[in-house]
C-alpha cells in the first residue's frame, strides 16, 4: 500500500507541469511611451492568472532598477478559449488599469485594453521562457 501511494504521488508530481496554462511563463513587453520595457512573470494566483514585473530595461536595453519591479501588471486574467484571455492590465507609463484583451498565438501575446471607453493597443509581447 505504501509503495502504491508513493507511485501515485510521483505520477501526480510529474503530471503537474502538463496542466500549466499556456500563458504561464516570462514575457517581454513592448516598449512603453518612454522606450522602456520589462519582463512579466505570469503564474496562477487563485483561480486566475497574474503577471508580475520581474525585470525592467531602459530605452537602450540596459537592465535598470524600477520602483515597479515586483508590481502586478496582469491580474484577474482567465482563459476564454481559442487563446483568448480577459482580465486587467496595469500600464505603469500611464498609471492606468485597463480591462485587458489578450490573444495568445504560440510565443506571441497580443495585448490591448480599455478603460472608460478609452482603448490602448499594448502591442505584442514575446515569450522569453
Amino acid at each position: 500500500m505504501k509503495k502504491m501511494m508513493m507511485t501515485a504521488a510521483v505520477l501526480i508530481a510529474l503530471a503537474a507541469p502538463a496542466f500549466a496554462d499556456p500563458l504561464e511563463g516570462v514575457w517581454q513587453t513592448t516598449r512603453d511611451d518612454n522606450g522602456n520595457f520589462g519582463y512579466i512573470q505570469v503564474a496562477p494566483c487563485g483561480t486566475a492568472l497574474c503577471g508580475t514585473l520581474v525585470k525592467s530595461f531602459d530605452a537602450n536595453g540596459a537592465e535598470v532598477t524600477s520602483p515597479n519591479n515586483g508590481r502586478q501588471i496582469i491580474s484577474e486574467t482567465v482563459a476564454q478559449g481559442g487563446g483568448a484571455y480577459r482580465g486587467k492590465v496595469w500600464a505603469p507609463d500611464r498609471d492606468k488599469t485597463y480591462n485587458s484583451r489578450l490573444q495568445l498565438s504560440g510565443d506571441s501575446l497580443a495585448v490591448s485594453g480599455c478603460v472608460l471607453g478609452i482603448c490602448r493597443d499594448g502591442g505584442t509581447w514575446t515569450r522569453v521562457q
Side-chain angles (χ1 to χ4, degrees), residues 30-98:
T30 54
R31 294 179 183 272
D32 66 15
D33 291 344
N34 303 312
N36 304 324
F37 65 96
Y39 285 177
I40 309 297
Q41 172 74 53
V42 176
C45 59
T47 59
L49 293 167
C50 295
T52 303
L53 180 64
V54 293
K55 285 188 180 182
S56 298
F57 301 89
D58 67 15
N60 296 317
E63 188 172 350
V64 295
T65 301
S66 168
N68 296 318
N69 284 354
R71 296 245 352 230
Q72 200 171 76
I73 304 297
I74 296 173
S75 62
E76 303 174 34
T77 301
V78 295
Q80 302 294 304
Y85 291 82
R86 300 294 178 268
K88 305 277 185 193
V89 64
W90 176 63
D93 60 333
R94 296 191 184 172
D95 194 23
K96 295 210 182 305
T97 300
Y98 297 83

Side-chain angles (χ1 to χ4, degrees), residues 3 6 8 20 22 26 32 40 51 55 58 71 74 78 83 109 112 114 116 118 121-122 124-125:
K3 187 175 183 179
M6 287 298 291
V26 179
D32 66 15
I40 309 297
K55 285 188 180 182
D58 67 15
R71 296 245 352 230
I74 296 173
V78 295
L109 182 66
S112 62
C114 298
L116 299 173
I118 300 170
D121 180 4
T124 301
W125 297 4

